[in-house]
Amino acid sequence: MAARRISTMLSRSLSLPSAATSLGRKYGMQRFSSAAVVEEPIAPSVQINHTKLFINGQFVDSASGKTFPTLDPRTGEVIAHVAEGDKEDINRAVSAARKAFDKGPWPKMSAYERSRIMLRFADLVEKNIKELAQLETWDNGKPYQQALKSELPMFVRLFHYYAGWADKIHGLTVPADGPHHVQVLHEPIGVAGQIVPWNFPLLMFAWKVGPALACGNTIVLKTAEETPLTALYVAKLFHEAGLPDGVLNIVSGYGPTAGAALASHMDVDKIAFTGSTETGKVVLELAARSNLKPVTLELGGKSPFIICQDADIDSAVEIAHFALFFNQGQCCCAGSRTFVHEKIYDEFIEKAKARALRRTVGDPFKKEIEQGPQIDSKQFQKVLGYINSGIDSNATLECGGAQFGSKGYFIQPTVFSNVQDDMLIARDEIFGPVQSILKFKDIDEVIRRANATRYGLAAGVFTSSIDTANTVSRGLRAGTVWVNCFDVFDAGIPFGGYKMSGIGREKGVYSLNNYLQVKAVVTALKNPAWL
Amino acid sequence: MAAARRTSSLVSRSLPLLRGGKQINGGRGMYRYSTAAAHENPITPPVSVQYDKLLIDGKFVDAASGKTFPTLDPRTGEVIAHVAEGDAEDINRAVSAARKAFDEGPWPRMTAYERQKILLRFADLIEKHNDEIAALETWDNGKPYEQSAQIEVPMVARIFRYYAGWTDKIHGLTVPADGPHHVQTLHEPIGVAGQIIPWNFPLLMFAWKIGPALACGNTVVLKTAEQTPLSALLVSKLLYEAGLPDGVLNIVSGFGPTAGATLCSHMDVDKIAFTGSTDTGRIVLELSAKSNLKPVTLELGGKSPFIVCEDADVDQAVELAHSALFFNQGQCCCAGSRTYVHEKVYDEFVAKAKARAQKRTVGDPFKAGIEQGPQIDGEQFEKILKYIRFGQEAGATLETGGDRHGTKGYYIQPTVFSNVKDDMPIAKEEIFGPVQTILKFKDLNEVIQRANNSVYGLAAGVFTHNIDTANTLMRALRVGTVWINCFDIFDATIPFGGYKMSGTGREKGEYSLKNYLQVKAVVTPIKNPAWL
């Protein structure tokens, strides 16, 4: 469940509560279950204690004194006013991180000590798991059960994983061609700038902060303006766990101001960004125009989900449904082009439609709810716009197609069949609960069509033939291939894109590369016993 | 055989003119350096230019425009050959050929062992043609022939044998899963690699770029520097003789703003690697950002400190500091161009460094015993003389040199400045010529702070007998290579690259393979796993 879009540096359109649209209401069907949105929203039992910027171990107001509202996607109402970080705040945060790196104890303490602080942090998160899950759901709109039982435990698991890496960052000794002793040191890169999206606020925090801290770096992290709350909470816990001041600084704010200042900063040694491909280009350009800091990008996708003739259809329908609709369709790796073999196409459509119609939509705090609201009105309108585009281009609307309920940003689970490769809904990233089902005849054809995109993030393949699985998994130009499964996100599995889906890998041993510099040290050898 | 740079600028396309630099400071030529071959007749190189066209899809072809440009002999500024001038259209042709060779051709589909054998045969052919290749390199670049024939060309063969050995050792991983899944990672070739190399080590930079790209199963479009197009065409011909399939390696001679920029912006190029100036590296990265976000490796400028501690062996330090700066006419990105000497040994060091520079033999690079040939062209020649004037104007002490050598070509006297201060342009900017600047320091913390106070972070030299001093400096210097009691050790296995604005990524060694691989995670459920 990777990341995205948020915190765009290009446009700063904050979602307004009033913008909840009437678009698409003509299709407003109410056959989805548990229409909780017409009821009063369930009140979360968590208090918001932290709304300021977190710089040098202190919660502080923004230099300008400005704040911005963060909204409840169920209603569009204000949850809290949060300090709005700007260029000046980024400068303050970078100075703190710089000082903590150059002079502070963090890179100078033993890896074991760093590891123990990260383990203590994971324990504290576990202790506060319910509050954090509630806050995540409140700010983001994702089902509480998903936040509580899947995402928060995975957050804890990721910090256990990276705590374990801290004392396993080995350099190499290297065979020389002559009388020299050669060693390679893997050093922390310095001050890391990180920009995370709104779709998985805490998980993206873990993917970014985990490897950076394990390698001994210090951090300035900008959260998404849609979801600033949980990062502030966990940053507080991290300091309770013993993180020295200035090692992790959190700046809430917008892309064009805070984000751009971070990406351009001459004292930031590395930048990692998760979001849209368009914003990723801006981040890379800002690095090019400033100090050439290395850039990791985790960007958009239009991932194919290929169901072969010999696949278990029921399992494929269920997992294809999950691959697209999980997290309200707000996943960069969503299986958003469902390619189905022509021999099973009609059966698949029927079952996919039936499954979508059974999807439970409603207040994410309610039990058994599978789908909450989209993040904000801008995304909500964009998704409805794509639905209209699908209808206009003559794809068959099997179900859904409109707003769900009348309040907040809920959208009906929507399925299109008879989708053609050149339709916008088959080419662009919709980032919402809209499944596009395409038909194919043979493997060579589907590999070619699956690869005919600027993206290359992930893919799903369903087959019982090992030959087909091997051919397709090598043939697809994508960073992850899930065979007979999808969205398996273990800490050990690297994630990232080919082509315009990004640069670099997060998670797994590969993620450490992003936060290390390589230094070769060569000494002249006198009378070597061996070479 | 240091690293690379400057050339093939996307920023300016000033082709060296025949008379470039001739009039500069012409009157003050001192002749105290030995073997002033520059005013004798230049030695005729024992090689002829056989290849002057573009190499696309396995064939030598004219540029689409039919245009050519002259490549010049730095000893005289005279034309060696007219070379086909690749432009946007030629890059497009070359990328199509590379694309087809990657998507449909045999190269990524043959076994790693077959690729290995082709690379090994290529290394053998280089060895067989060693002297011819070395002569062409010296003719086009101006570097001493002995350096080309005895060090650089043998190292090219060595680097290709190194990468040949990697082909069948590109392992992916199997990965422990958190649940009933079988997880593997595939390390796949990234696709079509665009590569832009500089003029200071034309063949070595070719090897650093091509070696890992081919070992990993990619196809390549390589743009050479406009100053030194010749040797790459000759050795690429040999690579095809060794059995490389058509279209796997395409060589486009040409200029940065046309051919180079097209390669960086190309939507069908999956990766770009550039060696050259920091200013041009920035443009390369911007063009990637504006096109398809291809991953970029950059090997850029430097202003590397060479730190001589109080307890160092002064004579050895003088000799190595001299070679660290003057090697290859000072045209190394990792040149030890800020010589920091402890105050207690400063005067002795300066006197000896001056004496060593005065002993340096400058002249026709084809002559035996010559240590220093001409600078690459009139533009560089003038730039270096300008920095020498800056040094004098800023109040640094000119110990020796300071002017052109002879009256013809682009020779410059080995020049040493003492009493250099950190804020002088000669201590901050990359001169890329035979100009040594010697600074004084008192204690270790001070020199660490001063050495790190630079936008660059490419390399450093440290001279000390004390293991504590060595260990402290080795960790504290923010640079990609630290040479302790040595300098310019460039074994194939040692990674090379920069911190800060000296670049992104590493070349050579195991690390270089990452630049040319994509990582693909493949996950399948396991039924009834025997273990997890």
Side-chain angles (χ1 to χ4, degrees):
Chain A
M1 64 234 67
R4 93 143 326 224
R5 173 80 4 120
I6 197 146
S7 62
T8 168
M9 303 193 143
L10 297 177
S11 78
R12 186 193 145 150
S13 58
L14 183 66
S15 51
L16 299 171
S18 60
T21 182
S22 57
L23 248 184
R25 239 180 227 155
K26 56 181 168 165
Y27 299 106
M29 295 169 273
Q30 301 286 335
R31 41 187 167 162
F32 304 95
S33 55
S34 43
V37 283
V38 293
E39 302 165 12
E40 275 298 296
I42 295 170
S45 61
V46 56
Q47 277 196 329
I48 293 165
N49 294 318
H50 308 299
T51 57
K52 297 190 177 186
L53 312 178
F54 192 67
I55 296 178
N56 207 23
Q58 316 286 328
F59 282 106
V60 294
D61 288 319
S62 63
S64 67
K66 281 203 284 187
T67 64
F68 65 98
T70 184
L71 308 180
D72 183 340
R74 300 176 299 168
T75 59
E77 283 158 20
V78 175
I79 301 174
H81 292 274
V82 176
E84 181 183 335
D86 207 329
K87 188 175 179 179
E88 201 177 328
D89 305 292
I90 291 287
N91 289 343
R92 284 196 293 169
V94 171
S95 304
R98 185 84 257 163
K99 199 172 149 219
F101 184 78
D102 291 344
K103 300 185 186 150
W106 185 247
K108 296 171 183 66
M109 67 174 63
S110 73
Y112 179 47
E113 287 175 275
R114 284 198 294 272
S115 166
R116 294 198 45 197
I117 291 171
M118 294 175 75
L119 291 173
R120 278 200 296 271
F121 169 61
D123 291 346
L124 287 175
V125 170
E126 227 162 23
K127 212 173 128 190
N128 293 278
I129 197 163
K130 284 188 180 162
E131 282 211 341
L132 277 164
Q134 287 193 57
L135 202 55
E136 189 82 329
T137 287
W138 197 5
D139 215 9
N140 171 282
K142 63 178 68 210
Y144 175 65
Q145 296 300 318
Q146 174 187 325
L148 179 70
K149 291 183 178 153
S150 162
E151 296 186 22
L152 262 299
M154 191 176 281
F155 181 94
V156 171
R157 195 268 173 275
L158 282 161
F159 276 96
H160 284 148
Y161 178 77
Y162 282 112
W165 268 121
D167 55 7
K168 294 163 200 77
I169 313 258
H170 297 115
L172 299 171
T173 59
V174 177
D177 287 350
H180 293 102
H181 173 64
V182 182
Q183 57 191 305
V184 179
L185 306 180
H186 292 182
E187 300 196 332
I189 196 165
V191 175
Q194 306 184 319
I195 302 177
V196 296
W198 49 258
N199 58 345
F200 296 94
L202 277 178
L203 280 176
M204 293 304 101
F205 176 101
W207 287 22
K208 295 271 184 296
V209 170
L213 292 188
C215 295
N217 299 282
T218 63
I219 295 173
V220 176
L221 180 133
K222 187 194 95 60
T223 48
E225 63 268 27
E226 293 85 352
T227 52
L229 297 177
T230 46
L232 295 170
Y233 190 121
V234 296
K236 182 68 171 32
L237 294 182
F238 228 141
H239 281 72
E240 279 177 41
L243 196 71
D245 289 348
V247 173
L248 173 62
N249 304 275
I250 310 284
V251 178
S252 317
Y254 294 88
T257 51
L262 189 58
S264 306
H265 206 293
M266 293 298 287
D267 253 351
V268 170
D269 298 310
K270 196 256 158 4
I271 189 108
F273 169 79
T274 297
S276 73
T277 294
E278 285 64 34
T279 309
K281 292 176 89 160
V282 176
V283 170
L284 191 56
E285 277 194 59
L286 293 176
R289 288 188 194 149
S290 55
N291 63 347
L292 299 170
K293 52 181 84 62
V295 178
T296 314
L297 298 174
E298 207 272 87
L299 308 175
K302 191 75 187 177
S303 297
F305 189 104
I306 299 171
I307 296 138
C308 301
Q309 187 179 353
D310 61 352
D312 173 337
I313 293 191
D314 290 335
S315 151
V317 164
E318 182 57 32
I319 293 183
H321 174 84
F322 167 75
L324 186 284
F325 290 98
F326 177 66
N327 207 46
Q328 295 72 247
Q330 300 168 150
C331 300
C332 56
C333 62
S336 53
R337 287 184 293 155
T338 312
F339 287 101
V340 181
H341 191 272
E342 57 178 6
K343 291 220 172 126
I344 53 173
Y345 189 78
D346 293 341
E347 181 187 354
F348 186 94
I349 298 283
E350 276 318 302
K351 290 181 168 171
K353 173 181 173 179
R355 178 62 186 88
L357 287 168
R358 276 201 312 277
R359 188 165 186 80
T360 52
V361 184
D363 188 328
F365 279 106
K366 202 162 169 178
K367 265 201 163 167
E368 313 306 332
I369 282 293
E370 293 176 296
Q371 181 177 321
Q374 307 307 118
I375 187 73
D376 64 16
S377 76
K378 185 182 159 201
Q379 289 292 318
F380 175 82
Q381 288 175 283
K382 189 185 121 187
V383 174
L384 291 175
Y386 273 115
I387 291 174
N388 289 335
S389 148
I391 296 169
D392 292 346
S393 60
N394 289 324
T396 308
L397 180 67
E398 296 283 346
C399 67
Q403 180 176 16
F404 177 88
S406 57
K407 200 175 176 189
Y409 311 124
F410 295 85
I411 292 182
Q412 297 169 355
T414 298
V415 176
F416 280 108
S417 63
N418 297 315
V419 177
Q420 307 302 317
D421 291 5
D422 59 353
M423 294 178 184
L424 279 186
I425 56 169
R427 290 169 55 195
D428 292 359
E429 197 176 29
I430 300 175
F431 227 60
V434 182
Q435 187 175 32
S436 303
I437 309 183
L438 304 96
K439 193 187 285 188
F440 77 92
K441 266 192 185 164
D442 69 64
I443 291 289
D444 284 347
E445 169 214 334
V446 78
I447 289 174
R448 185 185 47 74
R449 290 169 62 195
N451 282 338
T453 168
R454 65 178 187 154
Y455 296 117
L457 195 53
V461 178
F462 272 68
T463 178
S464 45
S465 154
I466 191 168
D467 292 330
T468 306
N470 284 341
T471 301
V472 174
S473 55
R474 290 215 174 209
L476 292 173
R477 305 280 294 162
T480 303
V481 179
W482 285 294
V483 182
N484 297 330
C485 60
F486 207 87
D487 277 354
V488 177
F489 273 103
D490 299 358
I493 306 177
F495 185 83
Y498 281 49
K499 298 195 273 185
M500 290 175 77
S501 288
I503 300 177
R505 293 295 179 271
E506 299 191 282
K507 296 195 292 115
V509 58
Y510 303 91
S511 60
L512 304 172
N513 294 339
N514 303 325
Y515 296 98
L516 294 169
Q517 273 286 17
V518 172
K519 180 188 276 179
V521 181
V522 184
T523 338
L525 271 183
K526 313 231 156 134
N527 306 315
W530 55 271
L531 273 180
Chain B
M1 63 237 71
R5 86 145 330 230
R6 173 81 2 124
T7 204
S8 60
S9 165
L10 298 172
V11 172
S12 79
R13 186 194 146 150
S14 58
L15 184 67
L17 300 173
L18 277 178
R19 54 190 192 289
K22 234 182 188 176
Q23 287 91 349
I24 305 283
N25 284 342
R28 289 177 45 220
M30 296 172 271
Y31 285 93
R32 38 186 172 167
Y33 307 92
S34 53
T35 39
H39 53 219
E40 301 167 9
N41 271 340
I43 295 168
T44 305
V47 61
S48 63
V49 177
Q50 298 176 63
Y51 306 111
D52 54 14
K53 297 191 176 184
L54 313 177
L55 180 56
I56 296 178
D57 208 11
K59 289 164 201 67
F60 283 107
V61 295
D62 288 318
S65 66
K67 281 203 285 187
T68 63
F69 65 98
T71 184
L72 309 180
D73 182 340
R75 300 176 300 167
T76 58
E78 282 158 19
V79 175
I80 301 174
H82 292 273
V83 176
E85 181 183 335
D87 207 330
E89 200 176 329
D90 305 292
I91 291 287
N92 290 341
R93 286 196 293 167
V95 172
S96 301
R99 186 84 258 163
K100 197 168 155 227
F102 184 77
D103 291 344
E104 293 157 35
W107 185 246
R109 289 164 191 82
M110 66 176 64
T111 66
Y113 180 44
E114 287 174 278
R115 284 197 293 273
Q116 176 180 105
K117 286 194 288 186
I118 292 170
L119 293 178
L120 289 174
R121 277 198 297 268
F122 174 50
D124 292 345
L125 287 173
I126 288 173
E127 244 164 24
K128 198 174 140 195
H129 294 269
N130 185 81
D131 294 356
E132 184 188 352
I133 297 168
L136 200 58
E137 189 81 331
T138 286
W139 196 6
D140 216 8
N141 170 283
K143 64 179 66 208
Y145 174 72
E146 286 171 345
Q147 176 185 324
S148 298
Q150 289 164 26
I151 300 174
E152 296 188 20
V153 179
M155 191 174 281
V156 170
R158 195 269 174 271
I159 288 174
F160 276 99
R161 292 201 177 104
Y162 176 75
Y163 283 112
W166 268 120
T167 54
D168 54 7
K169 294 159 200 81
I170 313 254
H171 298 115
L173 299 172
T174 59
V175 177
D178 287 348
H181 292 102
H182 173 65
V183 182
Q184 56 193 302
T185 59
L186 306 180
H187 292 183
E188 300 196 332
I190 197 166
V192 174
Q195 307 183 319
I196 302 177
I197 58 172
W199 50 257
N200 58 345
F201 295 95
L203 278 178
L204 279 173
M205 295 302 102
F206 175 98
W208 287 22
K209 295 271 183 295
I210 301 284
L214 294 187
C216 295
N218 299 281
T219 62
V220 175
V221 176
L222 179 131
K223 189 193 96 59
T224 48
E226 63 269 25
Q227 295 87 348
T228 53
L230 297 176
S231 55
L233 295 171
L234 172 57
V235 299
S236 298
K237 180 66 171 44
L238 298 178
L239 187 42
Y240 278 102
E241 268 178 52
L244 195 74
D246 287 347
V248 173
L249 172 63
N250 304 275
I251 308 287
V252 178
S253 317
F255 294 86
T258 51
T262 305
L263 190 58
C264 296
S265 305
H266 207 293
M267 294 298 286
D268 253 352
V269 171
D270 298 308
K271 195 258 161 354
I272 192 106
F274 169 79
T275 296
S277 73
T278 294
D279 290 340
T280 309
R282 190 191 291 287
I283 294 173
V284 170
L285 193 55
E286 277 195 57
L287 292 175
S288 163
K290 286 181 184 153
S291 57
N292 63 348
L293 297 169
K294 51 181 86 62
V296 176
T297 315
L298 298 174
E299 207 272 88
L300 307 175
K303 191 75 187 177
S304 298
F306 188 103
I307 300 171
V308 182
C309 300
E310 185 181 359
D311 65 345
D313 176 333
V314 175
D315 289 336
Q316 193 205 4
V318 164
E319 183 57 34
L320 280 170
H322 176 84
S323 108
L325 186 284
F326 291 98
F327 179 65
N328 207 46
Q329 295 70 248
Q331 300 167 152
C332 300
C333 56
C334 62
S337 53
R338 288 185 291 156
T339 311
Y340 285 100
V341 180
H342 191 274
E343 57 178 6
K344 291 212 178 138
V345 291
Y346 189 81
D347 293 340
E348 179 190 354
F349 185 96
V350 169
K352 287 179 170 172
K354 172 183 174 178
R356 177 62 186 90
Q358 290 182 339
K359 281 204 300 281
R360 188 165 185 81
T361 52
V362 183
D364 189 325
F366 279 104
K367 200 162 171 177
I370 283 293
E371 293 175 296
Q372 181 177 321
Q375 307 307 121
I376 188 72
D377 63 18
E379 188 194 342
Q380 289 291 318
F381 176 83
E382 288 176 63
K383 189 185 119 190
I384 295 160
L385 292 174
K386 184 186 73 184
Y387 272 111
I388 292 174
R389 283 197 304 276
F390 285 168
Q392 290 170 294
E393 285 161 18
T397 308
L398 179 66
E399 295 283 346
T400 181
D403 211 335
R404 75 179 304 168
H405 174 91
T407 56
K408 199 173 176 188
Y410 310 123
Y411 296 87
I412 292 183
Q413 297 169 352
T415 297
V416 176
F417 279 108
S418 63
N419 298 313
V420 178
K421 305 292 181 218
D422 290 6
D423 59 353
M424 295 177 182
I426 56 169
K428 286 166 68 182
E429 293 163 31
E430 197 176 28
I431 300 175
F432 227 61
V435 182
Q436 186 175 32
T437 59
I438 310 181
L439 305 95
K440 193 187 284 187
F441 77 93
K442 264 191 187 165
D443 71 64
L444 219 48
N445 285 333
E446 167 214 334
V447 80
I448 289 170
Q449 180 263 319
R450 289 168 64 193
N452 281 337
N453 187 21
S454 166
V455 296
Y456 297 116
L458 195 52
V462 172
F463 270 68
T464 179
H465 285 307
N466 184 313
I467 192 167
D468 292 328
T469 306
N471 283 342
T472 301
L473 283 168
M474 162 214 306
R475 291 215 171 209
L477 293 169
R478 304 280 294 162
V479 299
T481 302
V482 180
W483 286 296
I484 301 176
N485 299 330
C486 60
F487 205 87
D488 277 354
I489 305 300
F490 273 101
D491 299 358
T493 52
I494 306 177
F496 185 83
Y499 281 47
K500 297 194 271 183
M501 289 173 73
S502 287
T504 308
R506 293 294 179 271
E507 299 191 281
K508 296 194 291 116
E510 184 178 351
Y511 301 88
S512 61
L513 304 172
K514 286 183 190 144
N515 303 325
Y516 296 98
L517 294 169
Q518 274 285 20
V519 173
K520 180 188 277 178
V522 181
V523 185
T524 30
I526 329 178
K527 315 232 157 135
N528 307 317
W531 55 272
L532 272 180

